Amino acid sequence: MNRSQPLVLGIESSCDETGVGIVRGTTLLTNTVSSSMDEHVRFGGVIPEIASRAHLDAFVPTLEQALSDAGVSLDEVDAIAVTSGPGLAGALMVGVCAAKALAVATGKPLYAINHLVAHVGVGLLESNGNEAPQLPENLGALLVSGGHTEILRINSITDDVVLLGSTIDDAAGEAYDKVARILGLGYPGGPAIDKVARTGNPKSIRFPRGLSQPKYMGTAEEPGKHRYDWSFSGLKTAVARCVEQFEARGEDIPVADIAAAFQEAVVDIISSKAVLACREHGIKDVLLGGGVAANSRLRELTGQRCASAGIRLHVPPLDLCTDNGAMVAALGAQLVMAGVEPSGIGFAPDSSMPVTSVSLPA
């Protein structure tokens, strides 16, 4: 196996995207994604059984397209990496079984990796012809997606990831989907709210910022239990009550203003707590990842607050922020280059895999 510039095939199937990516070391060769999002629109959210069946239908064509686009064969691949968790149990199983079948058929080593840490790994790929960035010391990662909102400290991308804070209920992406449904904006909620919010007044309504009260925050010397954590369920309820009040008065619902005020509440608390965690843990570089990283206001406000705090913000290209196989391959390549032993085929997918487990041991 080429451990200095390994050719790694990555497979992602944790939710509704079937992703196959191929990297050579830190160079991205292809990122092929087949999404079943359109099949979930009429339900207003991802239906696990539909997602699993879509993965079954899409995997072989997506794999063949990725190999063709990269101009490589399975024989040339040095290792296979697959998302083993967290995610939807049935969806994960499809990707893991496919990866195991490929590993058995080709004799290639298989790495079972963490979906969340992979969002960080994608930041180590070369982009726009530039050299791959070196992993800086004191690196943090802010992951904001449909299922996760977390701030991490990355001591080592291959074996030492520390969870500093996370959501205790809804993730930010879930809150976007639920509020979009309340406002009649459809699914997925993130892009819909982001678009409508641009014509609204974010100061028109003051929605709550969860877990920001002193009893939760504490101080730097005596941190509160939820100093770096988030909660979005109360915000979602506040939006629902706001809409009900307009309806009860027989007034038109100011959709754009509510969307803008809701979005401001989300990005305000996410960015402020993330920057606080970074400052208090000596983190000088932070990578923003996950599907909600595509949100224009989140990128803008997080960038402003990081700059004010002397923190460098790194944001991957938009197509690498959402779930994809390239990020899985990227982290797999990092594991190969670090000499980490493969996982073998005896592991099982773990829908609640903790972020502190970068990969599963043999």
Side-chain angles (χ1 to χ4, degrees):
M1 182 193 300
N2 183 348
R3 287 198 177 272
S4 60
Q5 289 290 314
L7 183 65
V8 179
L9 184 146
I11 298 169
E12 156 62 25
S13 70
S14 65
C15 192
D16 60 343
E17 281 97 4
T18 307
V20 178
I22 301 174
V23 305
R24 190 184 301 277
T26 56
T27 302
L28 176 61
L29 301 185
T30 186
N31 179 35
T32 307
V33 178
S34 173
S35 176
S36 63
M37 183 181 295
D38 290 346
E39 299 178 46
H40 306 279
V41 169
R42 64 192 177 102
F43 301 103
V46 176
I47 305 302
E49 179 66 17
I50 292 176
S52 300
R53 291 178 180 275
H55 288 308
L56 283 169
D57 292 339
F59 179 73
V60 171
T62 306
L63 172 64
E64 291 176 341
Q65 185 66 52
L67 291 168
S68 175
D69 291 346
V72 300
S73 67
L74 277 175
D75 287 341
E76 297 174 76
V77 169
D78 290 308
I80 299 168
V82 63
T83 295
S84 59
L88 302 175
L92 287 169
M93 191 172 295
V94 175
V96 167
C97 288
K100 287 182 177 181
L102 285 176
V104 170
T106 62
K108 307 295 183 182
L110 177 61
Y111 290 82
I113 70 167
N114 190 299
H115 171 87
L116 298 176
V117 184
H119 275 298
V120 182
V122 79
L124 300 178
L125 292 175
E126 299 173 19
S127 62
N128 300 323
N130 298 323
E131 283 190 15
Q134 295 298 309
L135 193 66
E137 294 183 2
N138 302 322
L139 173 68
L142 174 59
L143 305 181
V144 190
S145 70
H148 304 276
T149 306
E150 301 181 334
I151 181 73
L152 313 173
R153 187 177 69 219
I154 313 296
N155 296 322
S156 167
I157 190 71
T158 57
D159 62 9
D160 191 356
V161 175
V162 179
L163 178 65
L164 300 180
S166 65
T167 177
I168 65 170
D169 42 51
D170 285 1
E174 288 176 297
Y176 267 91
D177 287 340
K178 291 174 181 177
V179 167
R181 191 155 57 241
I182 292 169
L183 297 177
L185 295 177
Y187 174 85
I193 288 179
D194 195 15
K195 181 179 179 180
V196 172
R198 293 170 192 168
T199 61
N201 178 7
K203 297 181 180 179
S204 60
I205 305 166
R206 173 73 182 185
F207 285 126
R209 274 68 166 161
L211 301 182
S212 60
Q213 299 91 334
K215 65 178 180 179
Y216 298 119
M217 296 294 293
T219 64
E221 292 73 25
E222 296 185 21
K225 181 180 179 181
H226 296 298
R227 186 169 179 80
Y228 309 130
D229 293 333
W230 295 277
S231 170
F232 298 107
S233 61
L235 172 59
K236 174 200 65 180
T237 302
V239 173
R241 297 292 173 267
C242 177
V243 170
E244 289 171 2
Q245 289 168 7
F246 278 102
E247 290 175 336
R249 295 193 296 264
E251 300 176 6
D252 291 337
I253 298 170
V255 173
D257 285 348
I258 293 175
F262 160 77
Q263 176 160 276
E264 195 65 18
V266 172
V267 301
D268 178 26
I269 195 65
I270 287 179
S271 58
S272 62
K273 285 206 171 194
V275 169
L276 177 67
C278 289
R279 284 175 44 215
E280 294 184 351
H281 285 83
I283 292 171
K284 296 299 183 183
D285 291 83
V286 65
L287 183 137
L288 177 62
V292 185
N295 181 274
S296 62
R297 183 57 180 151
L298 178 62
R299 295 160 77 98
E300 178 185 29
L301 188 57
T302 305
Q304 291 171 355
R305 287 182 167 167
C306 282
S308 297
I311 298 168
R312 290 177 292 272
L313 179 66
H314 307 268
V315 185
L318 286 180
D319 62 334
L320 295 180
C321 288
T322 53
D323 295 348
N324 61 83
M327 68 185 199
V328 179
L331 180 55
Q334 292 291 325
L335 294 170
V336 173
M337 291 187 287
V340 175
E341 289 298 310
S343 305
I345 61 170
F347 68 92
D350 181 358
S351 60
S352 57
M353 187 176 181
V355 72
T356 49
S357 296
V358 178
S359 62
L360 296 179

